[in-house]
């Protein structure tokens, strides 16, 4: 009997399967096996894993801290494998989808670059699939979040959708006719690095004036800390809240104070929202979607952010008054969107083992080998 691990070594066959996945996404998600799959969402601070059914319902999720980026890529790989094996003890897992915070190639096999991890041209799919006897799919985390919102969240029923994720920076994804548009090289959707202010703030990408320097969690915190450091009278409420310890000013704290009516924090979110609306208007001119879905941690500010964004969008939209306006909606699935989307995309390449007891046997054998190795190490030579 052959297993998926045998199949994984048949390079040409595997490549053919995964090359066709993108062209089949729109229809095949309806006919994909209705089996549980695991989604993994890897960020700079946490790795979240969950078992997700065919209706997007999370059956169980677990999370752990992301290993320090100075460590080898294998450390993160080990973390992924441990989480999947843990979940497979209690669930019948048929495939694994990984949403990575970085650039993923068009074949969805290699992480070309990850800003928060030591991944440079890392063959993540093959490395993980060689250790797990199930199919593995890798994609950018914004793509997986957008897929989840299109399938189960704020983007349901939309044929042309753009997702914008506001976190430390700005990520994004494009869906057209039920397909994720990844571009020729797999790195489409890096909206945060559109230049909106020539010669503006320096961005970690090396350029100046990138959109994410004006509409992101980093931009929000930077502006608040600068006002606090200057001992501005408008920042006294924020300064008092952190006891004068400026590094303790965070995005969630600014949002909390804004909800409580702090005028400066409200104004800061309005500024971020206005820049968000300007960028959305630019994207509308280029892509003309029917819907923008706003996700990421900063979107927790709700209408304190999205209200100003809608107003700025209307003011800056090319041809305003003479064209339909795209809907702007807050994401519905929260921080689990990337995990849910990765799991659902993995269903497109899910393959059943021939017998359930074969899966259980293989897991048992893996654990036995691991336990024997540990015993041999701890006992030492007799």
């Amino acid at each position: 009997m052959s297993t998926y691990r045998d199949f994984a070594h048949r390079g040409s066959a595997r490549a053919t399967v995964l090359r066709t996945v993108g062209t089949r996404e729109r229809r095949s998600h309806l006919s994909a096996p209705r089996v549980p799959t695991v989604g993994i969402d890897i960020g700079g601070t946490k790795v979240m894993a969950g078992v997700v059914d065919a209706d997007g319902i999370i059956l169980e999720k677990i999370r752990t801290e992301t290993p320090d980026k100075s460590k080898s890529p294998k450390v993160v790989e080990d973390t992924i494998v441990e989480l999947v094996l843990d979940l497979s003890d209690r669930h019948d897992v048929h495939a694994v989808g990984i949403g990575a915070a970085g650039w993923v190639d068009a074949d969805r096999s290699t992480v070309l670059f990850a800003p928060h991890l030591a991944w440079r041209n890392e063959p993540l799919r093959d490395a993980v699939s060689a250790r797990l006897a199930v199919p593995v799919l890798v994609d950018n985390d914004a793509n997986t979040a957008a897929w989840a919102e299109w399938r189960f969240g704020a983007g349901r029923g939309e044929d042309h959708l753009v997702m914008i994720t506001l976190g430390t920076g700005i990520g994004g994804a494009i869906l057209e006719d039920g397909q994720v548009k990844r571009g020729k090289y797999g790195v489409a959707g890096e909206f945060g690095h559109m230049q909106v202010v020539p010669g503006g703030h320096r961005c970690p990408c090396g350029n100046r004036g990138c959109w994410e320097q004006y509409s992101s969690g980093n931009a929000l915190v930077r502006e608040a800390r600068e006002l606090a450091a200057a001992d501005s009278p408008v920042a006294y409420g924020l300064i008092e809240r952190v006891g004068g310890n400026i590094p303790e000013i965070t995005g969630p704290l600014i949002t909390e104070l804004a909800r409580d009516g702090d005028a400066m924090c409200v104004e800061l979110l309005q500024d971020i929202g206005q820049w968000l609306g300007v960028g959305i208007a630019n994207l509308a001119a280029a892509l003309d979607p029917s819907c923008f879905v706003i996700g990421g941690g900063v979107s927790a500010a709700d209408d304190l952010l999205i209200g100003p964004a809608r107003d700025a969008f209307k003011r800056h939209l090319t041809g305003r008054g003479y064209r339909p306006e795209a809907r702007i909606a807050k994401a519905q699935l929260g921080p689990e969107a990337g995990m849910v989307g990765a799991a659902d995309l993995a269903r497109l390449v899910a393959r059943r083992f021939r017998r359930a007891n074969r899966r259980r046997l293989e897991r048992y054998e893996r654990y036995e080998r691991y336990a024997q190795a540990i015993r041999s190490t701890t006992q030492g030579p007799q």
Side-chain angles (χ1 to χ4, degrees):
M1 177 189 300
S2 64
T3 67
Y4 180 80
R5 186 171 296 166
D6 300 323
F7 175 75
H9 292 291
R10 302 171 192 167
S12 59
R14 179 184 61 208
T16 300
V17 169
L18 289 174
R19 273 199 304 270
T20 61
V21 168
T23 59
R24 293 188 287 111
E25 278 174 357
R26 185 181 185 187
R27 294 178 181 175
S28 63
H29 79 271
L30 298 174
S31 58
R34 294 184 60 83
V35 293
T37 51
V38 168
I40 307 282
D41 184 18
I42 305 173
T45 59
K46 55 92 175 118
V47 181
M48 184 188 302
V51 179
V52 182
D53 71 12
D55 298 313
I57 297 172
I58 300 170
L59 305 179
E60 182 184 356
K61 69 176 180 179
I62 53 179
R63 60 180 291 167
T64 186
E65 292 183 359
T66 303
D68 187 86
K69 68 179 181 180
S70 65
K71 298 178 181 178
S72 70
K74 187 176 182 299
V75 176
V76 183
E77 175 193 317
D78 291 342
T79 301
I80 294 169
V81 171
E82 289 169 6
L83 292 175
V84 174
L85 290 177
D86 186 1
L87 290 169
S88 69
D89 277 343
R90 297 175 296 282
H91 302 274
D92 193 14
V93 175
H94 292 254
V96 175
I98 301 174
W103 293 359
V104 178
D105 70 353
D107 287 336
R108 280 171 281 175
S109 62
T110 301
V111 181
L112 302 175
F113 172 77
H116 303 295
L117 296 167
W119 282 341
R120 305 294 184 267
N121 292 312
E122 181 67 23
L124 182 61
R125 184 193 68 196
D126 292 347
V128 175
S129 64
R131 298 174 61 179
L132 297 171
V134 291
V136 175
L137 180 145
V138 180
D139 209 337
N140 171 266
D141 58 348
N143 288 343
T144 62
W147 180 265
E149 291 292 341
W150 177 69
R151 287 273 284 128
F152 310 112
R156 281 175 293 185
E158 300 287 351
D159 287 334
H160 293 78
L161 177 149
V162 170
M163 176 128 186
I164 299 166
T165 56
L166 301 178
T168 303
I170 295 179
I174 308 163
L175 272 82
E176 292 184 3
D177 296 324
Q179 293 185 32
V180 178
K181 311 302 287 187
R182 297 178 175 85
K184 174 66 175 177
Y185 305 108
V187 296
E190 293 295 332
F191 306 138
H193 299 290
M194 301 186 302
Q195 289 179 286
V196 296
V197 180
H201 291 296
R202 176 71 74 180
C203 181
C205 77
N207 292 326
R208 288 186 177 273
C210 292
W211 186 25
E212 69 176 39
Q213 291 304 304
Y214 299 88
S215 184
S216 67
N218 269 357
L220 179 66
V221 172
R222 182 194 65 229
E223 295 296 313
R225 289 180 178 177
E226 286 180 359
L227 285 168
D231 203 26
S232 170
V234 300
Y236 282 172
L238 187 56
I239 295 171
E240 182 180 355
R241 180 63 180 270
V242 298
N245 191 355
I246 293 175
E248 290 186 6
I249 296 174
T250 63
L253 176 60
I254 296 167
T255 299
E256 178 186 341
L257 290 176
R259 288 198 179 111
D260 291 340
D262 184 284
M264 187 202 75
C265 293
V266 170
E267 184 176 334
L268 288 175
L269 283 168
Q270 287 175 339
D271 290 344
I272 297 296
Q274 287 168 5
W275 276 112
L276 176 60
V278 169
I280 290 175
N282 289 338
L283 290 172
L287 301 173
D288 191 30
S290 59
C291 177
F292 288 95
V293 175
I294 313 300
V298 183
S299 69
D302 299 318
D303 278 346
L304 289 169
L305 173 84
I306 295 178
R310 290 191 178 109
D311 293 340
F313 172 68
K314 293 176 182 291
R315 290 197 307 272
H316 293 275
L317 181 64
T318 303
R320 50 194 173 275
Y322 297 96
R323 59 177 289 177
E325 292 182 4
R327 180 170 66 94
I328 300 175
K330 181 189 173 183
Q332 294 179 357
L333 301 183
E336 288 85 16
M339 181 186 73
V340 171
D344 196 60
L345 283 167
R347 291 179 58 248
L348 303 179
V349 293
R351 296 291 183 270
R352 293 178 181 269
F353 288 112
R354 293 187 179 181
R355 292 193 303 267
N357 61 352
R358 175 70 175 180
R359 291 191 292 275
R360 289 191 291 270
L361 177 61
E362 289 176 342
R363 288 198 295 269
Y364 176 79
E365 290 173 346
R366 286 200 299 271
Y367 286 130
E368 280 296 297
R369 288 195 296 270
Y370 175 78
Q372 181 61 42
I374 294 297
R375 286 194 294 268
S376 299
T377 301
T378 56
Q379 292 174 359
Q382 300 298 322

